Amino acid sequence: MDRHVYWHLEVNINPGKFETLKALMHEMVTRVQQHEPGTLQYAWSINKDRTECHLNERYADSDAALAHMKNFQEHFSERFMACVTPTRFLVYGHVTDRLRSAWPPGAVQIFEPLGGF
C-alpha cells in the first residue's frame, strides 16, 4: 500500500462570504501548485446554493501533509476561517504520530487503512 494521506473537509460558507472564499480559493490553489510538490490532489466542490463547500486533498505522505498545513497556517488560515465554519474533517491513510499531533484533540476523525487497493 502507498503512504498517502488524504482528507475530506466539509465547511459551511459564512453568509456573504462566497465571493471572498472563491477569490481566496484561487490564491490557495495557485500557491499549493507552486510550492507543494507532495500535493497530489487539491479539489474544491460547492453545492448549488453556494452555502457548503467540500475540500478533498491527497498528499504523498504525512510529511507532505504537514508541509501543506504549515503553508496553510502561514498564508491562509485566518482568512479561510473568516469565510467558513467547518462541520466535518475526515482524515485517511498512513498518518504518522507527528501529523496526528498537529491537530487539536477532537478536531479530526482519523481512519487507518484496513484493506483494498
Side-chain angles (χ1 to χ4, degrees):
M1 271 192 158
D2 60 47
R3 304 304 296 170
H4 292 183
V5 171
Y6 49 105
W7 58 65
H8 173 81
L9 172 62
E10 297 177 9
V11 298
N12 288 332
I13 301 170
N14 295 337
K17 294 294 185 176
F18 172 72
E19 292 301 329
T20 302
L21 180 66
K22 185 177 175 184
L24 180 61
M25 184 254 334
H26 288 296
E27 185 180 342
M28 291 172 70
V29 167
T30 298
R31 181 155 182 94
V32 167
Q33 285 179 314
Q34 293 175 350
H35 298 280
E36 297 181 24
T39 301
L40 306 175
Q41 176 188 13
Y42 195 68
W44 297 49
S45 301
I46 190 151
N47 67 345
K48 186 176 181 177
D49 63 359
R50 298 179 172 180
T51 59
E52 187 175 345
C53 184
H54 291 190
L55 290 82
N56 291 287
E57 305 175 23
R58 181 178 290 266
Y59 301 93
D61 54 28
S62 283
D63 288 340
L66 282 163
H68 172 73
M69 291 172 68
K70 182 178 187 280
N71 183 38
F72 174 77
Q73 187 64 36
E74 289 177 1
H75 300 279
F76 304 110
S77 177
E78 188 174 313
R79 292 183 289 157
F80 181 77
M81 295 308 293
C83 293
V84 303
T85 302
T87 58
R88 191 171 193 194
F89 196 171
L90 306 173
V91 179
Y92 307 91
H94 292 276
V95 177
T96 62
D97 289 340
R98 186 169 165 236
L99 178 57
R100 186 181 306 269
S101 67
W103 289 292
V108 302
Q109 288 181 280
I110 298 174
F111 294 85
E112 296 179 358
L114 179 61
F117 65 94

